[in-house]
Amino acid sequence: MKIAVIGSTNMDLVSYTDKLPEAGETREAQAFHTACGGKGANQAIAAGKLGADVMMVTVIGDDLFGEKSMDNFMENNINTEFVWTATGVASGVATILVDSTSQNRILIHKGANECLTPDVIEEAAEALKGCGLIVLQLEVPIETVYAAIDFGKENNIPVLLNPAPANKALSIEKACLCDFFVPNETELSILTGMPTGTEEQVKAAAQTLVDKGLKNVIVTMGSKGSMWLSKEDYLVVPAVKVEAVDTTGAGDSFIGCFVENYSRTKNIPEAMKEASQYASLSVTRKGTQESYLTREEFEKLKK
Ligand code: ATP
Ligand code: RIB
């Protein structure tokens, strides 16, 4: 089954520091690297590395970062027929600071991702009709996300929406048309206005979304694991205990693995367990896409 990821592509500028600078302070980073990122691209690459047939719908800038991102898609066997280059526009960029506790702070500039307007859905319509799952995030214009959700509904194609980064303006009515809604704890808290510090609080907040009509809410909870709530189901998959060095893109690796597995098995608990293992391994390595294992590497390391 083909998976379509309609979303962002960024270049990540990552600095590793023992301590994050305070306002007005300048500090030295111990390490720095640039790497291909963006929530959409990360999820596509994770699924692709695991063997999924992935089509990416995205816009890159006509700069060196855009070229690097295009090469990266091709090297990872992602279908790039609908990867457009916006003339005279800079690629999306994420400035990322990672501290010694493996926590990150991210500042994004959308750049070319702003050019992924709703008409792309029409342009890619025929190819999208051949996909069995559409995967969306919120780093592109919200109207495009809504157009993709409507397209999925009209054509009977399941849609997974990762509401990241959190956007309070997201229409819950539109989100209800999706088959899967996958926020992290922070996004869930912002969307519901409820605390999500404990498992019970996450469950209560997720329940309000299910009550509003969301079908399958899967909340990622960092080192606490992940939770699935629907009208009939409740499951917590604990995280695998690991020594985390960089959690950037953990959520994207979880989603990439989840969709690869789910598209084969149609089994939500199984896909969550596999995604939990895959994401836990990604946090033991520095970087985002570089920390995602190939199918071969994953088979050797998973328990
Ligand atoms: P990001 O925004 O950095 O992509 P996120 O906040 O969306 O990440 P998390 O909820 O932090 O995503 O993590 C996703 C999944 O990754 C978790 O549900 C868990 O399975 C795994 N994970 C994350 N952090 C850890 C950790 N420290 N140890 C083990 N597993 C982890
Ligand atoms: O989820 C991680 C991603 O968020 C990074 O790759 C960065 O590009 C930001 O979009």
Side-chain angles (χ1 to χ4, degrees):
M1 180 213 283
K2 195 173 226 159
I3 297 169
V5 178
I6 305 175
S8 60
T9 301
N10 290 336
M11 186 57 64
D12 291 352
L13 313 181
V14 195
S15 294
Y16 294 90
T17 172
D18 50 354
K19 193 170 166 291
L20 298 167
E22 306 285 338
E25 184 190 12
T26 302
R27 292 189 66 83
E28 225 177 90
Q30 282 72 52
F32 171 82
H33 75 258
T34 55
C36 292
K39 293 183 192 300
N42 292 345
Q43 294 170 18
I45 296 283
K49 282 191 172 187
L50 287 167
D53 184 1
V54 184
M55 161 183 155
M56 185 75 203
V57 180
T58 192
V59 183
I60 53 178
D62 67 346
D63 51 16
L64 286 175
F65 291 164
E67 279 172 31
K68 179 99 178 63
S69 298
M70 180 61 111
D71 291 347
N72 182 52
F73 285 132
M74 295 200 295
E75 280 159 20
N76 286 286
N77 297 320
I78 305 295
N79 180 321
T80 56
E81 191 184 345
F82 298 100
V83 177
W84 289 280
T85 302
T87 313
V89 182
S91 289
V93 165
T95 304
I96 303 180
L97 302 180
V98 182
D99 72 12
S100 56
T101 68
S102 84
Q103 294 297 311
N104 61 57
R105 301 269 189 289
I106 305 182
L107 186 68
I108 58 167
H109 178 252
K110 278 188 177 162
N113 293 305
E114 295 271 29
C115 302
L116 195 79
T117 45
D119 47 301
V120 301
I121 305 299
E122 227 166 89
E123 278 198 53
E126 279 318 303
L128 286 173
K129 282 180 190 165
C131 293
L133 185 63
I134 292 176
V135 182
L136 305 166
Q137 319 75 31
L138 300 181
E139 281 187 333
V140 296
I142 195 103
E143 301 73 32
T144 308
V145 173
Y146 294 161
I149 292 173
D150 289 341
F151 182 89
K153 190 76 196 161
E154 280 155 23
N155 292 280
N156 237 340
I157 304 169
V159 175
L160 180 150
L161 174 60
N162 167 221
N167 182 348
K168 262 191 169 171
L170 176 72
S171 154
I172 294 298
E173 206 181 306
K174 282 280 181 213
C176 285
L177 301 175
C178 300
D179 296 77
F180 298 98
F181 190 69
V182 191
N184 68 13
E185 297 156 293
T186 313
E187 289 141 11
L188 179 66
S189 177
I190 291 171
L191 286 166
T192 59
M194 293 170 72
T196 55
T198 65
E199 214 173 281
E200 289 68 34
Q201 289 173 338
V202 169
K203 188 179 180 197
Q207 185 66 54
T208 64
L209 296 179
V210 171
D211 292 345
K212 283 184 179 158
L214 275 140
K215 290 187 195 92
N216 294 294
V217 179
I218 298 175
V219 188
T220 62
M221 306 182 293
S223 58
K224 298 200 287 294
S226 51
M227 180 186 291
W228 170 36
L229 203 71
S230 74
K231 253 190 191 165
E232 298 83 20
D233 313 274
Y234 172 61
L235 173 73
V236 173
V237 176
V240 181
K241 289 223 172 330
V242 291
E243 191 75 42
V245 297
D246 184 357
T247 61
T248 317
D252 298 332
S253 71
F254 182 96
I255 290 170
C257 182
F258 178 87
V259 297
E260 189 282 327
N261 186 289
Y262 180 79
S263 67
R264 286 186 288 113
T265 65
K266 302 286 181 300
N267 183 324
I268 296 175
E270 152 118 25
M272 282 176 70
K273 284 174 198 155
E274 183 104 334
S276 169
Q277 288 225 32
Y278 190 72
S280 74
L281 290 166
S282 84
V283 305
T284 63
R285 295 154 43 126
K286 273 193 174 173
T288 305
Q289 293 178 20
E290 313 92 289
S291 71
Y292 300 168
L293 302 175
T294 60
R295 166 63 61 194
E296 210 184 350
E297 292 167 331
F298 185 41
E299 290 305 323
K300 273 189 204 144
L301 291 175
K302 81 177 187 194
K303 294 185 180 110

